[in-house]
Amino acid sequence: MPRPISAHISWSAMRHNLLAVRRHLDSPRVAADRARPHVWAVIKANAYGHGILNAVQGFAAADGLAMLDLNEAVRCREAGWSGPILLLEGFFEPADIPVLDQHRISITVHCAEQLDMLEQASVGRPLDAMVKLDSGMNRLGFQPAEYRPAYGRALALQQRGVLGALGRMTHFARADDDAQATARQIAVFDEAARGLPGSASLCNSAATLTDGLWARCVAAGEQWVRPGICLYGATPFDERPAAGLGLRPVMTLRSRLISAHVLPAGAGVGYGYTYTAPHDTRVGVVACGYADGYPRHAATGTPVCVGGVMTRTLGRVSMDMLAVDLDPVPHAEVGTEVVLWGEGGPPVDDVARASGTVGYELLCALAPRVPVHIERD
Ligand SMILES: *Cc1c(COP(=O)(O)O)cnc(C)c1O
């Protein structure tokens, strides 16, 4: 028998979260005269660990799919996705361009070197492109003073039939925690991109889920939001849990107890004895460790659900196992089901917080050795 650990991916939760995003965008607090933005479902990093093919199914109703990896984009086409695909970092070398052309993949253009490569290229069909402004993230994108000239080069490439539809794009650094920093980025975008033709794309999950923010981003015209993490049922915010945002977890990580015993008062459990029992404590051992993608830094007290009861981890997480407190779960025994995160267990965000990280990292880090079960309902 294989180890009892498994990850479960729910297509219905994916559909639910996409609908929840659209409901946020439609919120009556938003100007009713504005067309609701289109949604790029962000599926980079193997759909945040959930699998590209699941994303193509679960987000079938999205307006487009956005990711980083050309191979993942081609896999979406091979899986039958015929809608728009956007590569958020664009392309990396001239040899990528024929592949983009063949599979009708749209690109982000964020640096002059990419424009140089496009100026040397010929294509069968024009490539749609988003020209990226660095409005304050200070990562990718043209600086505000370079933006208009870069956009001019893109428009010239459009004239030559190398580029097709153009759009303006930027990315927020602090949409989850600093409204003023975001407002400053919007002002930089407005100034740099004013009057340029084409659609606009600014909002990640945090901005998309901030009431009415998208409507303040561009005065008019077609807008595309780019939610990622919220579509998987995790929160982009420190203080706003996913359930309160109307989201459902897409990934549930399950395992079972493979041992249960009493840890006598004063004894330690696991490497380093980072937990010692203050009194005789019933301890369960779960078939799940950091080699499965569970965070090694999860501290004693990290929430975990055993036999339907919320309890906590004890001591250090090992490569293949972790220990849990069975005092609140007297009926637990070998074989009892454990939910590490997801439906029927703690939110992945709570496990992440107890480990000093974010839900994004835990979802992306699910290990290849964990069997994945797809819930197609
Ligand atoms: C990852 C990413 C997103 C989505 O971010 P979330 O916080 O997961 O919503 C949007 N845009 C760009 C450019 C990204 O890299």
Side-chain angles (χ1 to χ4, degrees), residues 1-10 46 49-51 54 250-256 287-289 291-293 340-341 365-375:
M1 185 186 149
R3 286 170 76 236
I5 191 166
S6 57
H8 300 254
I9 305 293
S10 163
N46 194 31
H50 295 69
N54 290 320
V250 173
M251 182 194 293
T252 300
L253 183 60
R254 294 204 188 113
S255 188
R256 291 185 186 278
C288 176
D292 299 301
L340 286 312
W341 63 63
L366 181 75
R369 81 174 188 182
V370 177
V372 176
H373 297 259
I374 303 166
E375 294 167 4

Side-chain angles (χ1 to χ4, degrees), residues 46-223:
N46 194 31
Y48 291 49
H50 295 69
I52 289 291
L53 299 183
N54 290 320
V56 168
Q57 296 292 332
F59 303 139
D63 302 296
L65 300 176
M67 69 212 75
L68 301 177
D69 188 90
L70 186 53
N71 291 327
E72 288 186 346
V74 171
R75 281 174 60 212
C76 290
R77 285 283 181 248
E78 287 167 354
W81 175 262
S82 57
I85 295 178
L86 175 65
L87 292 184
L88 293 165
E89 292 176 351
F91 60 100
F92 305 97
E93 56 179 10
D96 296 336
I97 294 174
V99 187
L100 300 168
D101 186 11
Q102 183 192 344
H103 294 282
R104 291 175 296 109
I105 296 167
S106 312
I107 50 175
T108 300
V109 174
H110 60 79
C111 65
E113 289 79 358
Q114 289 175 321
L115 289 167
D116 296 341
M117 287 187 256
L118 289 166
E119 282 162 1
Q120 303 300 315
S122 61
V123 291
R125 276 169 301 203
L127 304 172
D128 294 344
M130 303 296 289
V131 183
K132 186 163 184 177
L133 169 73
D134 178 4
S135 61
M137 177 76 168
N138 298 322
R139 201 174 60 177
L140 291 187
F142 295 96
Q143 292 306 303
E146 303 169 334
Y147 192 67
R148 247 160 235 281
Y151 213 89
R153 287 177 71 186
L155 286 166
L157 284 161
Q158 191 183 46
Q159 289 295 313
R160 281 186 38 207
V162 175
L163 293 182
L166 294 182
R168 301 157 292 161
M169 175 173 161
T170 197
H171 192 54
F172 295 133
R174 303 196 62 178
D176 56 321
D177 73 345
D178 187 336
Q180 280 174 3
T182 304
R184 279 195 297 277
Q185 285 196 254
I186 294 172
V188 170
F189 180 83
D190 281 346
E191 173 71 20
R194 183 178 299 128
L196 296 174
S199 61
S201 179
L202 297 88
C203 297
N204 57 3
S205 293
T208 299
L209 296 176
T210 299
D211 283 337
L213 182 64
W214 69 265
R216 298 201 294 278
C217 284
V218 272
E222 181 179 304
Q223 189 178 157

Side-chain angles (χ1 to χ4, degrees), residues 319-353:
M319 184 183 288
D320 309 301
M321 285 172 263
L322 58 82
V324 293
D325 184 350
L326 294 184
D327 276 354
V329 208
H331 62 274
E333 57 188 17
V334 169
T336 294
E337 189 178 85
V338 176
V339 182
L340 286 312
W341 63 63
E343 200 67 53
V348 70
D349 301 301
D350 292 1
V351 178
R353 187 171 308 111

Side-chain angles (χ1 to χ4, degrees), residues 250-300:
V250 173
M251 182 194 293
T252 300
L253 183 60
R254 294 204 188 113
S255 188
R256 291 185 186 278
L257 293 183
I258 58 170
S259 173
H261 55 86
V262 174
L263 184 67
V269 62
Y271 292 114
Y273 290 166
T274 62
Y275 177 82
T276 48
H279 47 77
D280 290 4
T281 303
R282 212 163 151 255
V283 163
V285 178
V286 183
C288 176
Y290 61 78
D292 299 301
Y294 194 89
R296 182 174 174 278
H297 289 104
T300 289

